[in-house]
Amino acid sequence: MIFLFISGGMELGGGLLVAAGKPTATRQEMAELLYNLLFVDLVLALGLTALGFFTLPALLRFIRTPEEILAEAVLYGRVYLVGLPFLMLYDLTKQCVMGCGDSKTPLRAVVATSVMNILLDLALVGPFGVAGAAGATAAAQIAGAVYMLTHLRKTELDTPFRREMLKVRYAKEIFRLSTPNSLQQASGTIITTVKQGLLGGLGVEAIAGFSCAGKLSSLLMMPVFGFVQSTVFFIAQNTAALQPGRVKEGLREGRRILLVYSLGVVAV
C-alpha cells in the first residue's frame, strides 16, 4: 500500500489530463501526452521497485511484524514488487482509456485478469504458499498491462514514439495533478500502517483478522472508487467542452447514486 498510493495519484492525474485534453487535442498531441504519462509512470515504478526490494525487511520490522511470519512477508512483498511496474502501467492505461471515453475495454481487462488471478491462486498457493499468491497477482498484472498497452497502440498510440516527444512541460503538468491525489491517498496508507504496527504487538491472529476485514471493506468500496473516478472524468470532459450545465447535472446524479449505494452497504 505504501508503494501503491503513488500509482493511485498517477492514475487519477493521468486520467484527468487525458479526459480534459480529449475534446480538443489532435492525435499527435494526445499521443505525446500518453507517451509522457507512460514514461513518467514507468520511471517511478522502477524506482519504487528498487527501493522496495532493499527497504522491505526494515519496513516490516518497523510495523512490528511478528518474527514467525517475517520471512514469508518479505518473500510475498518481493515477488509482488516484481509485478509493481506492470501494475502501475496497467492501472494508468486503464484510466487513460477511460479518460478517452471507453469504459468497456478496461472492464473486460479487469474481469479477465481477476479470473486469471483466482485460477492461478488456486493452482499456485497450495504448492508454493505466499510466493504462489504473490506470483499469481504479478502474472495477472503483467497480462493486464500487455493487453491495455496493446489496445492503446491500436487506438490512441498509432503515432510512432520519438524521443523528442518527451517534454518537461508534460512532466510538470502530470505531477501538478497527480501529487495532491497521491498525498490524499498516502494519508489512508499511513493510518493503516500505524494500525498494522499496533496490531503487530498483539500477534498473528490480530493481523489476520484486520487483514480479512480490510479486504472486505475494500471490496465494498470498489464500486464507489470506480464511480467517483468516472464522475471526475465526466466533469473534466464537460469542463473542457464548456458545458457547465452538464457538470452540475452529473454531480447531482452522482450524489444520488452514491447515497443509494451507501445506504445499501450499511443495510447489508
Side-chain angles (χ1 to χ4, degrees):
M1 292 180 68
I2 286 172
F3 298 117
L4 286 179
F5 75 79
I6 295 177
S7 176
M10 280 294 298
E11 284 177 55
L12 187 58
L16 272 172
L17 281 171
V18 172
K22 184 63 177 174
T24 57
T26 64
R27 291 194 70 82
Q28 173 73 18
E29 290 170 339
M30 184 56 64
E32 277 194 2
L33 172 59
L34 288 169
Y35 279 128
N36 279 269
L37 279 167
L38 293 171
F39 177 77
V40 171
D41 194 59
L42 185 58
V43 169
L44 287 173
L46 293 174
L48 288 171
T49 299
L51 179 66
F53 260 88
F54 289 108
T55 62
L56 190 59
L59 288 171
L60 288 167
R61 286 191 175 90
F62 180 71
I63 60 171
R64 301 169 68 191
T65 302
E67 200 63 36
E68 60 264 37
I69 61 171
L70 180 62
E72 288 188 322
V74 172
L75 176 62
Y76 179 91
R78 283 181 169 161
V79 175
Y80 187 91
L81 282 167
V82 171
L84 181 63
F86 297 95
L87 172 62
M88 289 183 63
L89 286 173
Y90 179 35
D91 287 342
L92 176 64
T93 49
K94 282 189 300 183
Q95 296 303 316
C96 289
V97 171
M98 287 181 63
C100 291
D102 176 8
S103 60
K104 293 180 181 179
T105 299
L107 174 61
R108 287 194 292 267
V110 168
V111 171
T113 54
S114 297
V115 171
M116 178 182 176
N117 198 342
I118 292 169
L119 294 176
L120 288 175
D121 277 333
L122 293 171
L124 299 178
V125 170
F128 300 108
V130 295
T137 302
Q141 291 164 355
I142 292 169
V146 170
Y147 174 79
M148 292 306 303
L149 284 169
T150 302
H151 175 78
L152 272 178
R153 288 290 297 173
K154 292 178 179 177
T155 54
E156 302 296 332
L157 285 178
D158 51 359
T159 303
F161 172 74
R162 300 187 308 278
R163 193 169 61 179
E164 57 265 25
M165 286 181 169
L166 300 177
K167 298 174 181 175
V168 175
R169 65 181 179 89
Y170 284 114
K172 289 180 179 178
E173 192 68 7
I174 291 166
F175 285 117
R176 184 181 70 82
L177 285 174
S178 299
T179 301
N181 190 57
S182 291
L183 293 174
Q184 179 184 325
Q185 293 195 31
S187 64
T189 300
I190 292 169
I191 292 168
T192 303
T193 303
V194 171
K195 288 179 182 177
Q196 190 81 42
L198 295 172
L199 288 165
L202 301 179
V204 175
E205 293 84 357
I207 293 172
F210 177 70
S211 177
C212 290
K215 293 296 183 185
L216 180 59
S217 174
S218 296
L219 177 66
L220 293 172
M221 287 299 292
M222 279 300 156
V224 176
F225 297 147
F227 187 80
V228 167
Q229 286 192 345
S230 298
T231 305
V232 168
F233 294 159
F234 178 87
I235 292 170
Q237 288 170 340
N238 284 280
T239 299
L242 303 178
Q243 296 288 334
R246 282 175 58 81
V247 170
K248 292 179 180 178
E249 183 183 352
L251 279 172
R252 282 196 300 269
E253 193 63 32
R255 283 195 293 265
R256 192 176 300 119
I257 293 172
L258 283 177
L259 176 61
V260 171
Y261 176 79
S262 301
L263 292 174
V265 168
V266 172
V268 170

